[in-house]
Amino acid sequence: DAGVIQSPRHEVTEMGQEVTLRCKPISGHNSLFWYRQTMMRGLELLIYFNNNVPIDDSGMPEDRFSAKMPNASFSTLKIQPSEPRDSAVYFCASSKTFGNSPLHFGNGTRLTVT
Amino acid sequence: GESVGLHLPTLSVQEGDNSIINCAYSNSASDYFIWYKQESGKGPQFIIDIRSNMDKRQGQRVTVLLNKTVKHLSLQIAATQPGDSAVYFCAEIHYKLTFGKGTLLTVNP
């Protein structure tokens, strides 16, 4: 079975550039989540969607971050402009239902902003 | 300057021994709990879950115990193997999934 698919696996960019991370959730899953992982803060929830609708974006660090889910099989997380402190591993996860089924994670995008 | 990074609790066991990883959760209203395993370079991988109406749940070589009175979860791994070496996270759900800090398990051959 195909799991959650994220691209790219690695992204290196210069400060000020726009970065777009992509995610394809597991087919049939109704909820999608974006997390960020750093050594300093561990795993932080940035935003989550249910049936393609953003439910809670209170974890998004600032206006430079935005996320979209135009359909049930695709989501993007965009950072514009990027800053060195955005360097982290960004994970996408999906679940069958919201709040009572396990999240299944992709293998992440390692972002380095120089 | 930058603050120090997370200092993960570490558990070191001998191959074949049983491992117990503990976790304290924060929200007494949380009603669903999950243990994840994360290997280097990979995303968190689901191990086992438990709902708040249960105290214990068993899987293959793993058991999760839930003590709601003291808001405590534990993961027991039987006959620990080198492939079990990873960081283990507990997570609680109350409207959204919140991760604990993680425990690094090292299995010595």
Side-chain angles (χ1 to χ4, degrees):
Chain A
D1 290 342
V4 174
I5 300 172
Q6 292 186 246
S7 64
R9 285 284 278 139
H10 301 274
E11 177 80 37
V12 180
T13 191
E14 291 183 347
M15 183 174 67
Q17 296 298 306
E18 176 180 299
V19 174
T20 300
L21 311 181
R22 297 174 174 79
C23 175
K24 177 178 167 54
I26 294 172
S27 178
H29 282 195
N30 294 329
S31 298
L32 183 139
F33 306 77
W34 283 101
Y35 281 83
R36 176 172 70 176
Q37 187 174 39
T38 61
M39 285 298 294
M40 306 243 182
R41 298 175 182 269
L43 276 158
E44 301 174 278
L45 176 63
L46 300 177
I47 185 171
Y48 62 97
F49 297 81
N50 192 45
N51 292 322
N52 311 341
V53 176
I55 302 300
D56 185 348
D57 65 353
S58 60
M60 297 285 260
E62 47 196 272
D63 292 345
R64 296 184 299 105
F65 285 68
S66 63
K68 293 182 179 179
M69 192 165 185
N71 57 62
S73 59
F74 184 66
S75 176
T76 59
L77 178 67
K78 185 177 292 187
I79 308 172
Q80 164 68 22
S82 57
E83 296 182 3
R85 61 190 167 127
D86 301 331
S87 298
V89 181
Y90 290 81
F91 288 104
C92 176
S94 68
S95 67
K96 276 187 183 178
T97 55
F98 177 67
N100 62 3
S101 60
L103 276 64
H104 297 269
F105 285 78
N107 280 328
T109 295
R110 179 173 292 279
L111 173 64
T112 303
V113 184
T114 60
Chain B
E2 289 190 334
S3 56
V4 295
L6 285 177
H7 180 67
L8 285 180
T10 301
L11 176 65
S12 183
V13 301
Q14 291 297 123
E15 181 179 357
D17 287 353
N18 296 334
S19 302
I20 299 176
I21 301 172
N22 295 303
C23 174
Y25 64 92
S26 58
N27 190 341
S28 56
S30 293
D31 51 11
Y32 179 47
F33 305 88
I34 308 174
W35 278 100
Y36 284 91
K37 171 187 180 183
Q38 187 175 23
E39 297 173 283
S40 180
K42 296 185 178 180
Q45 178 187 1
F46 169 82
I47 301 173
I48 191 167
D49 57 1
I50 188 168
R51 301 192 188 277
S52 59
N53 61 351
M54 302 173 68
D55 297 323
K56 178 180 179 179
R57 188 160 189 231
Q58 288 185 291
Q60 187 178 13
R61 282 201 308 118
V62 294
T63 300
V64 55
L65 299 177
L66 173 63
N67 185 330
K68 295 180 286 294
T69 302
V70 295
K71 294 190 288 186
H72 183 268
L73 270 172
S74 67
L75 177 71
Q76 301 175 3
I77 305 173
T80 313
Q81 303 168 0
D84 295 327
S85 294
V87 177
Y88 289 80
F89 294 95
C90 68
E92 58 183 303
I93 290 187
H94 180 62
Y95 297 112
K96 59 185 179 182
L97 186 132
T98 304
F99 281 89
K101 300 300 183 189
T103 296
L104 173 63
L105 174 65
T106 303
V107 182
N108 303 310

